[in-house]
Amino acid sequence: MKRIISAYEKGDNYKRALIEYRLTDINFHTEVELLKAGKINELREQLNEW
């Protein structure tokens, strides 16, 4: 997930769409919504809790 966040922060729109699609596909809806909203730090905090 940390690699996904890193790729997402680089701003490649194609990779963003692919990441969102794959995360949704594997039922990570909450994480996708955080990414779409630009709440990268909140997602990082969630990862630390896992």
Side-chain angles (χ1 to χ4, degrees), residues 6-48:
S6 176
Y8 199 87
E9 288 177 319
K10 291 180 182 175
D12 183 336
N13 289 332
Y14 176 77
K15 282 188 179 181
R16 283 183 177 193
L18 185 60
I19 288 166
E20 290 170 7
Y21 176 80
R22 292 295 173 203
L23 286 173
T24 301
D25 194 38
I26 59 174
N27 209 25
F28 279 81
H29 301 282
T30 303
E31 291 77 4
V32 169
E33 292 306 314
L34 288 173
L35 286 172
K36 285 181 178 180
K39 297 180 179 181
I40 304 296
N41 291 330
E42 288 182 33
L43 182 55
R44 281 193 179 115
E45 289 174 14
Q46 270 191 356
L47 290 176
N48 291 331

